[in-house]
Amino acid sequence: MYQSFIGLEIHIQLLTRTKVFCGCRSAFGEEPNTNVCPVCLGYPGVLPTLNAEAIRMAYVVARTLNCELAEYSLFERKNYYYPDLPKNYQISQYAAPLGRGGYLDIEFHGKRKRVGIHEVHLEEDAGKMIHAGDMSLLDYNRAGTPLLEIVTEPDMEIGDEAELLLQQFRRMVRYLGVCDGNMEEGSMRCDANVSVNRHGQGLGSKVEIKNLNSSRFVRKALNHEIARQEEILSHGGTIPQETRLWNENRDLTETMRTKESAHDYRYFPEPDLPPFTTTAQFLGAVEASLVELPLERRDRFIEQYDLATHQADFLTEERPLADYFEAAVEHGAEAHAAATWLAADVRKMLNRRRIEVQDSPLTPKRLAELLQLLAESRIHGKIAKQTLGEIFETGRDPLEIIRENGWEQITDPATLSEYVDQVLARHPKAVQQVRDGDSKPIGFLVGQVMKASSGRAEPRAVQELIIAKLELKVVQVLSFGGAISGVRRADGLVEPGDLVSLGELFAQDGFADSVRFDELHLGRFLSEEITPQDWAILLSEVASRLQTGAADGIVIAHGTDTLSYTASLLYWCFADTSAPIVLTASVLPHDKPGEEPHPHSDALRNLKAAVRKAMSGEPGVHVIYGDADFSPLNLKFEGLLPFSAPSRAHEAAGRKGAVGDRGAAESAAAGALSLGRFRNWNMESPVYRGRPISREIGELPRAELTRKLEQAVRSVFIAKVFPGMQGDTLIALMNAGVRYFILELFDTGTANLRETPYSLRKAFQHGEQAGALFFCTSQQEIAVDFSEYVTGHELWREGAIPMGRLTTESVYTRLLAALMVAENDDELVKLMED
Amino acid sequence: MSYWNRVLHDARRREAYTKFVRTQDAGLGAFLEFDPARRLDPPLAEHADPGDVSYAGSVSRARSRGAAAGGETPESALAGVPFAVKDNIAVAGFNLTCASRILEELQSPYTATAVRRMEAAGARVVGKTNLDEFGMGSSTDNSALGVTHNPYDHTRVAGGSSGGSAAAVAAGLVPVALGSDTGGSVRQPASFCGVYGLKPTYGAVSRYGLVAFASSLDVVGVCARELSPLQAVFNVIRGLDERDHTSQEPVSGPSAKVSVVGVLTGLQGLDPAVRAAYERTVEYLQGLGYALREVELSTLKYVVPAYYTIATAEASANLARYNGVRYGLRPERAENPDELVRIARDEGLGPEVKLRILLGTYVLRSGFQDQYYLRAQRIRTAIRNELARAFDNVQAILTPTVPVLPFAHGEGELTAFQQKLADIFTATASLAGIPALSVPCESTTGGLPVGMQLLAPAFAEERLFAVAGRLAEAAGERGLVARPENYPPLPDWAAAKGYELDWS
Ligand SMILES: [Zn+2]
């Protein structure tokens, strides 16, 4: 087992007005050799003068990195020769850098890690040498630009962590306004060093890697280099101390120079600059320059505005957007709405016009006003978008635009009532359909009112009015297969049925007025036969009912076997529902109407309990089974109770051999409240409500939803790790198109990574190449956390993503939901870890 | 002195002056460039401001002089006075050769702060003087661009490295000249040429525009035949400059009053003539009423090795920029940048310069710094401390400036190594960073001048002027040293050449 140690040397150009030791402008991309003077060209007799802004920014960065700030920092000459270095020495810091002993925290797949900062020091940049044909050209515009070097401790283990640290550091300096962090243009640069050794033996020989022009290359080069070194070590070889270059075309590192040819920089104190000594006033200015950092701000946004992590991430990525968002909220915008609009419509407008949000005609105040108009239903969504366009076009206030165009909605109940009455009178057929339990014509009726009012009626108010006028206060019960809606054939076998029979039974119980039974036209099936298409139909039906407000509660009758999947899927899609969504199931079917009901069937009892829950108005997604109200997440169908009860030796034939159990359960049913045994794993108190993965899912057209779900399901594989499992099997699956694995590991997340055919390491390495992701759950009731065992740690190093307390079923459906909305794998991982 | 501020602005007098200098300097070799007209109307803004400058927060600095160089200096202080500048100090419009082949063609794009301040006070640069290449030497024989003779004896050297400035002043070609002093480069040639030579306190005068040899030792110094112009020049050029973070306003404190003068005990290796002059000066001081107290400097024997270790170390970095890439000598052809630099340095730098760069590189090698560079720095601290202790009891110290008399050109009389050993008294003040003034005295043999060096604590230049002034008074009308034969004053020369000009 090997251990790797990664450290970074990051250089950033500070955004000062002038260069660090002279009065030349510090600017990128100008005519060569125009921002130069005798000082930065190294003419004889010139002296450096320290730029006050540069030293302040340098201390601000060091302070933000939690460094100990030097009261007395010393400049030194670093002597080396290169034509682009005007003085042939670089003024830098060595013995007494301005900052030491700091840290930066990163979060890698849910694990927070502290990376030490060895030191921070200020120096000057060199010029640029360009080789053109048989000539070498020099541009000294960059010479003397203030450069801050940040050296981390070798606290990272894999390239992914280094990439993350670099990205986070970049955001940090952009927030501080001290660097634009552009790695392509070189205003931020990174060299990496890595050493690999046998576990527990400390640092190995240090290999430096240069030519890393993006954070992605940092990751790739380091991971390549670690693999290369491990390969050498595992064959008994040794690693020479050297500097290597990353070859981005060939995806590998190559020797640049060995230790023997290393420089002797002959550092000595710069006699032209006295040591810089801090004063209370200077330190006060440093403190005044500190800002709330992206991570803190993100966490605050989640907390304060109840945003999803990915929303908060988006908003806080750049400081101007975060400032803008808060300004809009300050002006009265609702936070969620502002976040959604900024991420979608506003972003589109900005991209089209290629402007930054802070420079756009859409001021935070205007956005707030627009969203308020929308929230107050004075305009509807389509008009809001049109108004947004107008604001960008004309730079005027939303209210002004709306008034001028006569876009304000009609919300006055009396006026709306007139329109609705007219429409209802004109469409008796649609009205009858709705009264008969079909909610679809509601949309049609709303549309008619909109048409009649030239689009100015407020649709939600119209819809509410229609529902009120048609007196539609209903709990809708959807049948989604399973024994609960099944029937027992004459031979005793259970086959798919429908719920109509139960509806009739309900009538006898005096429930019926307010309970509407909808049978989804899915064909008849048992819950083990569910397809992605079935889910797509269910999701869109639920969504349309929630959206039209046609139901005050929804009950879904389901089979027991796959209940934990459907329940969690509904949660990921509708976790913020205000109308209760209640799933229920039964072990035994009710029998056909008119026939003697099965004496121990739990179907009717569970269904009634579910309907009561749905009518209770308690928001969220619930699973009602027996007397219990389970969370839809981490639901485990653990079996049937009690096994020990005397069997009535019911029907000889049964499916999956469960009939015997069923018999046992039945016999116990007379006394027991529940026949089956469900339990929520890893959960102290049940979770019913929360934030959905995305609110968009339910709004997708059914065909698209089906397509996306089918596509998602095809790319996912659930693999339960077992002794003797071979990495090659997973590779074969990858070759067959699987991109997302849910690995059900042992314990807190362990698996075999020892170098044998039974190791999963090859699968991970192949996965890295193939772009596969591994989400990890446990076979036991315990949270997956890679910090416990060596093998877990190795897994984490290989890029496996721990899913914490979530069970395999919940992770699977979450993955499906996330796959339907994520634009790329980065976003997917964020949604999964949120 | 009185005629000096009239020579430049009147065309006829300027013509006479120009002729005078050209004629007199033809056999002397003090100037590398001479053109009194060039700086008569110097351009005002020569280069950009120094940027968003920061001074170390702990030191609060008066910025009165920094913002506008010489802004508060009365225009009249040096009105119309011509002066020469050692060719390692930048003056826009003139070359900045440092007497080196590698910079032979370099025109300075800017002007040193000291020069700007002089000109702001009305003085004008008339030419650039010869020196040992990059200030490295004690004879000016290390110049790659010309030979400078001692005005008292053309077979002898004018001293160095500011030999050109000292010779020009001694020959009466200019009343004052700027030089630079790293280990004695103003004082030693002043001593050889019978003029005053001031090395101010380190940091008292801005080094901006002085080509660095050893940055922690380099100081802009002044040569003058008489004391009052020297003092006037010093008062004009001193003070904080925002372009030089090591420059300072004078610290208030040390009183100008001198009552006790220290004299060195146990002096060894002095030329008998130097020893005699030293003893006679001691007697003079006694006669003037100064109390004398013996001072023993135990660190004296470490001065030369410590000085050369530090100076060469810094020089190795300071001279690394001369590579022919951006300016200066550049070979016609080179296969690659490395070869270009190699050829430029090989052809452009003289042997003494190469020697010192190699030495400096050697003492800075990693793993050897403790043995050489850091050890030299510890010695430097010891020397500074010992002098500070000495100044508890005396207000000034008298030493010979140089232990030898002006020597003959070449190494016949004094080898390069012996020349370095002769830096002992001057380098002491350099390492300690304290001010020192070489005062001209007549020697007993052959009419060659001898200089005596006065030392004072940092920023106590006034004490040096006070003691030197008393000595000059005592010497009376004739001065301490006779003017060299063949170098009459300008009015006399002009009259002899038939220029009918009124100099009064
Ligand atoms: Zn510059």
Side-chain angles (χ1 to χ4, degrees), chain A residues 17-18 23 41-47 49-52 77 79 81 86 88-89 138 140 264 267 271-272 274 277 279, chain B residues 49-54 57 110 207 209-210 215 242 245-246 317-318 320-323 325-327 338 341 345 366 369:
Chain A
R17 190 181 62 88
T18 57
L41 283 177
Y43 264 71
V46 295
L47 295 172
T49 49
L50 179 60
N51 182 322
R77 291 186 182 176
N79 294 285
Y81 159 70
N88 281 335
Y89 61 80
L138 286 154
Y140 292 98
D264 176 359
Y267 281 99
D272 291 335
T277 315
T279 59
Chain B
D49 70 90
D52 303 326
V53 175
S54 156
Y110 74 107
R207 288 184 294 121
L210 165 62
S215 310
E242 62 180 10
H245 278 0
T246 62
N318 282 328
R321 69 186 63 187
Y322 307 119
N323 57 13
V325 173
R326 283 145 298 128
Y327 50 79
D338 282 354
V341 174
R345 286 177 172 167
S366 80
Q369 287 207 355

Side-chain angles (χ1 to χ4, degrees), chain A residues 19 22-24 35-41 143:
Chain A
K19 294 184 179 182
C22 68
C24 291
N35 290 327
V36 291
C37 74
V39 177
C40 56
L41 283 177

Side-chain angles (χ1 to χ4, degrees), chain A residues 180-294:
Chain A
D180 62 18
N182 190 327
M183 286 190 82
E184 284 77 53
E185 287 177 4
S187 65
M188 176 164 154
R189 287 162 244 164
C190 180
D191 295 335
N193 58 71
V194 57
S195 76
V196 175
N197 209 346
R198 291 203 173 273
H199 206 92
Q201 295 194 348
L203 297 167
S205 26
K206 186 160 129 179
V207 172
E208 257 200 275
I209 312 173
K210 291 183 178 291
N211 192 36
L212 303 169
N213 302 324
S214 77
S215 54
R216 196 166 55 91
F217 290 153
V218 170
R219 167 170 55 80
K220 287 174 80 172
L222 281 167
N223 287 343
H224 162 84
E225 184 58 23
I226 290 167
R228 189 188 70 88
Q229 293 189 21
E230 285 184 355
E231 178 75 16
I232 293 173
L233 290 173
S234 69
H235 288 89
T238 52
I239 312 291
Q241 185 174 332
E242 61 177 348
T243 301
R244 299 177 71 86
L245 278 182
W246 171 245
N247 184 329
E248 58 181 79
N249 298 318
R250 299 177 59 200
D251 271 9
L252 47 79
T253 61
E254 294 161 337
T255 297
M256 177 186 162
R257 61 168 179 255
T258 55
K259 195 193 173 205
E260 286 69 41
S261 58
H263 282 298
D264 176 359
Y265 291 119
R266 307 196 305 278
Y267 281 99
F268 73 97
E270 167 58 273
D272 291 335
L273 289 170
F276 180 80
T277 315
T278 59
T279 59
Q281 193 196 3
F282 175 80
L283 292 174
V286 168
E287 290 299 318
S289 308
L290 300 179
V291 299
E292 186 183 27
L293 294 174

